[in-house]
Amino acid sequence: MVFSRFLAIRKLSFLSFFFVTTTMLIACQETTDLISTSRPDNIKAVSVALLVPKGSNKSGDDVIAESLENSAQLAILESAARGIQITLNVYPTERNPEITKLQAIKAIENGAQVILGPVFTETTRAASLALSSSNVNILSFSNNANVAGGNVFILGPTFPNTANRLTAYANSQGKRNIVIIHENSVAGQAGHHAIDTAAGSAGVNIVGSVTYQQTQTSVISAVSEIEKVTTITNADVLFLTSTSSGALPLFAQLLPEVGVTSANVQYIGLTRWDIPVQTLALSGIQHGWFALPDPIFATNFQARYHDKFGISPHPIGSLAYDGITAIHSLLESGANPRSKAALTQSAGFQGATGLFRLLKDGTNERSLAVATVQDKQVQVIDPAPRFFSNFDS
């Protein structure tokens, strides 16, 4: 069995990035929203630059770019209906750090007041370095906390956010002894760290951990070790960081065969178990828990997107909508979207898939629902909160 990379493309963090050698800067493709310019002079307005991976040689990047631009345009149209003018200029980066750097500089020269994007870790770093001496904030679509901070805020969902939600819920259900199952990789180590940190905050215990390599043989060997550790520690939770495109299907098949079942230990997933939908058919994850964005808001956004563009959005397309929504919200309230204090307001913003807020360290917190898999269907067992009760920077 051949395993894919640990994280599916929807996660988009901790991927291996390839530098494209080029001496030619691709000319900026500028597209302005189609909203009528015949508006009263007193309407609040802002210019936003959208950096997308269009034109790269990586499969799927153009699809991501199109979905991000569409989502941003949808948010702009909805903002215009409420008297907020947001002008959007799109800059293709080809997923190339050097091109991204030049495009970010050009965006500022063209009057951009906020940078939305780019997507990947290396291009986000490039944009940050290019604009480090400016006072322009970058709302990146990355979910890699290592690039957050300074003038960079990441919009992508993060491991710590998900781990915090799930460990707190586990504690509320009397599940307090966790064994972490993680791959020996950058992403796996990051997942382990997120769960370990979240457990300390939630008041639950990490009683053991089992590491495996990205091979079938290693996963099979890990199964017996997991059974042993679970029994010795009297664990009541197995927290798995693996994805449906990685080791999850094999664990779901083999762990029940050695007696580690949902009847005696609670399975929890750090990643989405509903994407792709075929994952829900795995017998071993029935009654397991995972976190997901507010289904009500997510479904509503997908319907509006489909009505406008005739297709479904890419899983990360909604992040561009969220960025525009945050800018709109600040303009509508009279705040300056160039202000870090305004961007990190404790109340947060209502995005495409629910409530979110940007934290002072450049990361984010998203309101997540807790779901279970029952009869191969997703069942929400703890709805996503509709407001933030506290604010941690």
Side-chain angles (χ1 to χ4, degrees):
M1 178 175 181
V2 178
F3 291 95
S4 63
R5 290 172 183 160
F6 181 83
L7 292 181
I9 191 169
R10 61 189 179 81
K11 289 293 179 184
L12 292 173
S13 66
F14 309 100
L15 293 175
S16 298
F17 297 98
F18 298 91
F19 290 84
V20 179
T21 304
T22 181
T23 57
M24 182 179 295
L25 170 63
I26 302 301
C28 166
Q29 174 193 352
E30 300 184 4
T31 59
T32 305
D33 63 276
L34 302 179
I35 305 166
S36 170
T37 56
S38 57
R39 301 182 178 92
D41 292 337
N42 62 350
I43 289 183
K44 301 168 183 178
V46 69
S47 177
V48 176
L50 177 65
L51 275 58
V52 296
K54 185 175 181 179
S56 84
N57 61 356
K58 298 295 181 182
S59 175
D61 277 4
D62 283 350
V63 174
I64 294 172
E66 179 185 24
S67 189
L68 289 167
E69 183 176 350
N70 287 346
S71 297
Q73 294 286 8
L74 179 61
I76 287 170
L77 290 170
E78 293 175 355
S79 293
R82 299 178 61 176
I84 301 296
Q85 178 183 348
I86 300 176
T87 300
L88 185 72
N89 293 319
V90 181
Y91 297 78
T93 69
E94 298 189 24
R95 200 202 273 218
N96 182 298
E98 287 304 312
I99 292 177
T100 300
K101 177 180 177 180
L102 294 169
Q103 294 288 55
I105 293 171
K106 184 168 186 177
I108 299 305
E109 291 174 346
N110 288 343
Q113 296 163 287
V114 179
I115 300 292
L116 195 55
V119 176
F120 302 102
T121 297
E122 294 304 326
T123 49
T124 297
R125 286 195 177 114
S128 176
L129 288 172
L131 305 182
S132 59
S133 62
S134 74
N135 62 347
V136 175
N137 291 314
I138 299 170
L139 305 184
S140 168
F141 304 128
S142 173
N143 60 357
N144 185 349
N146 291 329
V147 300
N151 64 333
V152 177
F153 295 88
I154 59 172
L155 290 168
T158 66
F159 282 165
N161 189 186
T162 302
N164 286 335
R165 178 68 167 105
L166 289 168
T167 54
Y169 182 73
N171 187 32
S172 74
Q173 301 302 302
K175 307 289 186 180
R176 299 188 176 93
N177 295 310
I178 297 174
V179 172
I180 303 173
I181 315 301
H182 68 98
E183 181 181 292
N184 186 20
S185 64
V186 172
Q189 294 291 346
H192 179 281
H193 178 71
I195 297 166
D196 189 41
T197 302
S201 300
V204 297
N205 308 306
I206 303 300
V207 297
S209 66
V210 177
T211 306
Y212 60 93
Q213 304 296 328
Q214 197 178 15
T215 67
Q216 181 176 353
T217 300
S218 182
V219 172
I220 292 173
S221 297
V223 170
S224 60
E225 180 67 16
I226 293 169
E227 188 276 331
K228 178 181 177 181
V229 172
T230 302
T231 302
I232 292 174
T233 62
N234 198 30
D236 52 15
V237 171
L238 281 187
F239 212 137
L240 298 100
T241 67
S242 51
T243 69
S244 55
S245 62
L248 180 63
L250 196 54
F251 279 132
Q253 173 191 339
L254 297 179
L255 285 171
E257 292 179 3
V258 298
V260 184
T261 71
S262 58
N264 53 40
V265 63
Q266 179 65 56
Y267 286 38
I268 301 180
L270 187 62
T271 62
R272 293 277 295 273
W273 285 358
D274 59 330
I275 301 176
V277 69
Q278 291 85 352
T279 306
L280 299 173
L282 297 173
S283 60
I285 68 167
Q286 302 304 305
H287 308 293
W289 299 342
F290 66 98
L292 75 168
D294 192 318
I296 296 175
F297 283 95
T299 299
N300 185 278
F301 166 74
Q302 290 164 6
R304 299 198 317 277
Y305 185 103
H306 190 276
D307 286 346
K308 176 65 179 174
F309 302 106
I311 55 176
S312 297
H314 187 277
I316 72 161
S318 62
L319 300 181
Y321 183 97
D322 288 353
I324 296 295
T325 294
I327 294 167
H328 164 100
S329 179
L330 294 176
L331 288 173
E332 193 170 48
S333 67
N336 184 354
R338 299 179 67 176
S339 163
K340 289 183 173 62
L343 283 172
T344 56
Q345 60 174 315
S346 60
F349 309 98
Q350 187 61 64
T353 60
L355 194 63
F356 74 97
R357 61 184 173 186
L358 301 173
L359 306 181
K360 293 176 183 177
D361 64 359
T363 62
N364 68 74
E365 180 180 359
R366 289 182 174 273
S367 178
L368 301 173
V370 178
T372 190
V373 183
Q374 186 171 345
D375 297 326
K376 304 178 183 179
Q377 300 290 323
V378 175
Q379 300 289 334
V380 172
I381 53 178
D382 195 39
R386 294 299 172 84
F387 63 92
F388 293 114
S389 59
N390 56 64
F391 183 64
D392 297 320
S393 60

